[in-house]
Amino acid sequence: MLKNQLLQQAQAKVEAGVKNRDAYDKLVSAGTKIIYDKTIFAKLSEGIAQSKSPVEDVAKGLVAVLNIMVRQARGTAPQDALAQAGMSLLIDALDFMEQAGLVTVDKKVLGEATQAFIEALLPTLGLNPQQLQSALSSVQQTMADPQKMAQFQGSMK
Amino acid sequence: MPVVAVAAGAFAVGEIATVGIAAMSTFEVIAAVGAITSGIGALTGNEDLMKIGAVAGLAGGVGAFAQGKGWLATGDAANTASGAAGTGNIKAMTQTVAPGVENTLNNPSAWTAGSEGQTAGLSSGSIATNLTTPMKEPGLIGSGTSDLGLGSIADSKIVGSPLTASPGAASAPLPTGQGGWQASLGTTTLGSTARNMSYAGAQPGGGVLGMLKDFGNFLKDNKELASMAGNFIGGMFDDEKKAKADYYQAGADSLRAKTANGSAVPNMGFTTKQNGPFFKPTSPTYTGVSLWNAR
């Protein structure tokens, strides 16, 4: 149970968007077991204690954990569930760090952690800057067409 | 058994449907990331995150929709091949065994996890990248894999997106720095509404989030699109979703508790229920006088 109320709310936000519940739960479970493995946990704790930017390093470390899971899953892990599970694990980690007295999680810290996490996560999901740029360029053309956007709006109702 | 094998076990072949990355289009990934970012941004009041999240949500949603409709031309570098599958029902999508799950792309390129400062000012070249080169893991976990029982990182293959650049896009020069997307469309006059899509391009040093943020700059001149983007944030406050979120959170809490209990050392201490002192501490100790202690 998360102690920090802000993190509880953040957790609710993340889980509100979960579509693939089964995959999400499996990912969170697997990620939790990896993080709290004796060896890995010791390394993580050591890294956090020595880090100048513990929040940012925790976010990046979690992406590395997700990377491990992606490799082990041989690409079968749904990417949206991966992002959500990773965020959930990050929230857990922040709560732990606060309970350990390493950081006080407020809105600023949560925002920074989220930003660092997303920035590190996108390449893991196969979305490097070049691909993102191409994707956004293609979307731009569709957005420029009012008729197509009207159809899109209609589909959202 | 290495702990990491747990992750593999979680996705054992046959245990879940093989979705494959091909079935998940780029735009759905963008939309999923946008949902997270906008939700956290709304919670923390971080305007940057809100903007990025809303833009990503809108771009992802429009892109996925456009893919499904086949509107994205073959000249685009988006994954048009799986666009239709990507926008379909999740259940239907997971029934399909996606081909090329371990698709190896051309032109090796190493990406470091958590790379920041990736800018639009990249040298031009083929957009297709080979993600078989293992990502450099942060020093937080350690440089070697032997500690984690993973074996050699070089032996494992990172499955990246199977996005393949179409010939047209591959030859297109990447925009560099400011003005990267400017004037690509200018002012459109399709239908009865003119939509100005020109704006200053991506600023250097902003990374992928900066890229999304800059892409959203055009919303300033397009209130209709800005309104749509705002809906992606508003959806996070939907009452029905909140109720579902509470339900799922309860389930997640239960799962975490089980996980924690599984690894926790059981407390064998016995506790006695105290109802409070029967006698007040200041009360004199009563010593009963009986034949046993009478003198």
Side-chain angles (χ1 to χ4, degrees):
Chain A
M1 183 73 179
L2 299 171
K3 300 279 186 186
N4 185 303
Q5 193 178 3
L6 178 66
L7 293 177
Q8 288 175 9
Q9 294 171 343
Q11 185 67 39
K13 291 282 186 194
V14 170
E15 298 202 359
V18 173
K19 291 180 182 176
N20 196 335
R21 193 73 209 175
D22 190 43
Y24 171 80
D25 287 342
K26 286 178 180 175
L27 280 164
V28 170
S29 178
T32 303
K33 288 182 179 176
I34 292 174
I35 292 170
Y36 289 106
D37 168 67
K38 193 177 176 183
T39 306
I40 296 177
F41 187 75
K43 286 184 179 289
L44 283 171
S45 301
E46 186 184 335
I48 292 170
Q50 295 173 356
S51 171
K52 292 181 181 178
S53 306
V55 172
E56 190 177 324
D57 282 345
V58 161
K60 292 179 182 179
L62 275 169
V63 172
V65 170
L66 289 179
N67 206 6
I68 294 171
M69 292 181 353
V70 167
R71 285 206 297 269
Q72 291 296 324
R74 299 181 183 277
T76 59
Q79 288 171 306
D80 58 345
L82 200 65
Q84 290 153 347
M87 190 65 209
S88 181
L89 291 170
L90 175 62
I91 290 170
D92 241 352
L94 289 173
D95 192 65
F96 169 79
M97 285 170 67
E98 187 174 57
Q99 291 183 52
L102 295 171
V103 70
T104 301
V105 178
D106 53 14
K107 291 183 178 180
K108 182 173 179 285
V109 167
L110 180 57
E112 286 173 357
T114 302
Q115 204 152 345
F117 173 72
I118 297 294
E119 192 74 52
L121 178 68
L122 288 177
T124 298
L125 298 180
L127 207 64
N128 58 52
Q130 289 167 302
Q131 291 164 333
L132 178 61
Q133 199 159 344
S134 298
L136 293 177
S137 295
S138 62
V139 167
Q140 191 182 7
Q141 296 177 25
T142 301
M143 286 183 175
D145 188 337
Q147 291 174 343
K148 289 181 179 177
M149 288 307 292
Q151 288 190 44
F152 171 69
Q153 257 188 313
S155 72
M156 288 175 67
K157 292 178 183 174
Chain B
M1 182 180 183
V3 176
V4 177
V6 171
F11 290 100
V13 174
E15 188 171 335
I16 64 163
T18 304
V19 175
I21 297 181
M24 186 72 64
S25 72
T26 299
F27 297 110
E28 287 181 290
V29 173
I30 295 172
V33 168
I36 294 171
T37 310
S38 63
I40 300 298
L43 182 63
T44 58
N46 187 317
E47 291 188 357
D48 274 354
L49 284 180
M50 276 197 280
K51 183 179 177 182
I52 292 166
V55 168
L58 179 64
V62 171
F65 183 77
Q67 267 187 344
K69 288 286 187 178
W71 290 339
L72 297 179
T74 53
D76 296 315
N79 189 3
T80 56
S82 65
T87 54
N89 180 277
I90 289 291
K91 281 187 181 179
M93 192 170 66
T94 57
Q95 298 296 331
T96 305
V97 177
V101 173
E102 294 186 343
N103 196 13
T104 301
L105 306 177
N106 299 320
N107 300 327
S109 170
W111 293 93
T112 57
S115 61
E116 292 181 357
Q118 294 288 341
T119 71
L122 299 168
S123 57
S124 61
S126 172
I127 294 174
T129 58
N130 185 344
L131 294 179
T132 56
T133 305
M135 289 186 184
K136 178 183 175 184
E137 297 190 349
L140 194 63
I141 287 190
S143 56
T145 58
S146 58
D147 294 337
L148 305 177
L150 286 173
S152 168
I153 285 182
D155 293 336
S156 57
K157 185 179 291 184
I158 300 172
V159 182
S161 168
L163 291 177
T164 54
S166 56
S171 60
L174 295 174
T176 55
Q178 196 165 1
W181 290 315
Q182 189 174 11
S184 58
L185 289 172
T187 304
T188 62
T189 56
L190 294 173
S192 58
T193 307
R195 180 163 289 157
N196 183 10
M197 296 295 291
S198 63
Y199 58 93
Q203 301 304 311
V208 288
L209 291 184
M211 205 179 281
L212 285 167
K213 187 180 172 184
D214 291 333
F215 182 72
N217 285 336
F218 74 86
L219 291 176
K220 289 179 187 174
D221 297 323
N222 290 279
K223 291 182 181 178
E224 188 181 331
L225 290 176
S227 174
M228 276 190 227
N231 287 336
F232 280 89
I233 300 178
M236 302 303 289
F237 297 102
D238 184 84
D239 287 343
E240 183 185 352
K241 284 188 178 178
K242 185 180 182 304
K244 284 182 182 176
D246 290 342
Y247 170 73
Y248 288 136
Q249 186 171 10
D253 289 340
S254 173
L255 179 63
R256 285 197 193 85
K258 287 179 188 174
T259 306
N261 288 339
S263 55
V265 175
N267 181 9
M268 298 302 291
F270 293 95
T271 57
T272 55
K273 187 177 179 183
Q274 299 289 340
N275 290 324
F278 193 73
F279 297 105
K280 291 181 182 178
T282 57
S283 303
T285 304
Y286 175 77
T287 305
V289 177
S290 67
L291 294 175
W292 296 102
N293 56 7
R295 294 201 183 270

